[in-house]
């Protein structure tokens, strides 16, 4: 899912009954300028605000206790 929405704090993942994944723009609830379901990829958006803490990937090395 490329573009800005996946890293935007105003995006919310929604899944329908058939398991398809949609991205809801929460800004659309208060501002009609934003579509409820943005057509992806959104490459430019004035409402974009990056998630303050993107998912951290913590890799752990296998311990070598021998
Ligand atoms: S504000 Fe813009 S970038 Fe953020 S979820 Fe809505 S459409 Fe996507």
């Amino acid at each position: 899912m490329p573009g800005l929405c996946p890293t935007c704090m105003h995006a919310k993942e929604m899944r329908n009954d058939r398991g398809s994944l949609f991205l809801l723009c929460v800004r659309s609830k208060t501002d009609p300028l934003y579509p409820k379901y943005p057509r992806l990829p959104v490459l430019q958006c004035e409402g974009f605000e990056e998630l303050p803490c993107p998912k951290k990937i913590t890799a752990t090395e296998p311990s070598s206790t021998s």
Side-chain angles (χ1 to χ4, degrees):
M1 205 184 296
L4 295 173
C5 296
T7 57
C8 178
M9 66 187 328
H10 303 292
K12 185 176 177 184
E13 286 187 354
M14 308 288 287
R15 199 171 286 275
N16 69 8
D17 295 342
R18 287 180 281 176
S20 298
L21 192 64
F22 294 89
L23 202 144
L24 170 76
C25 176
V26 179
R27 275 194 186 270
S28 67
K29 292 182 178 177
T30 55
D31 192 333
L33 288 176
Y34 297 94
K36 187 172 184 180
Y37 298 106
R39 189 183 173 103
L40 302 179
V42 173
L43 300 178
Q44 285 190 326
C45 179
E46 288 188 14
F48 172 75
E49 289 185 76
E50 191 169 14
L51 283 167
C53 184
K55 290 180 186 171
K56 286 184 179 176
I57 300 171
T58 52
T60 52
E61 294 287 325
S63 60
S64 55
T65 53
S66 54

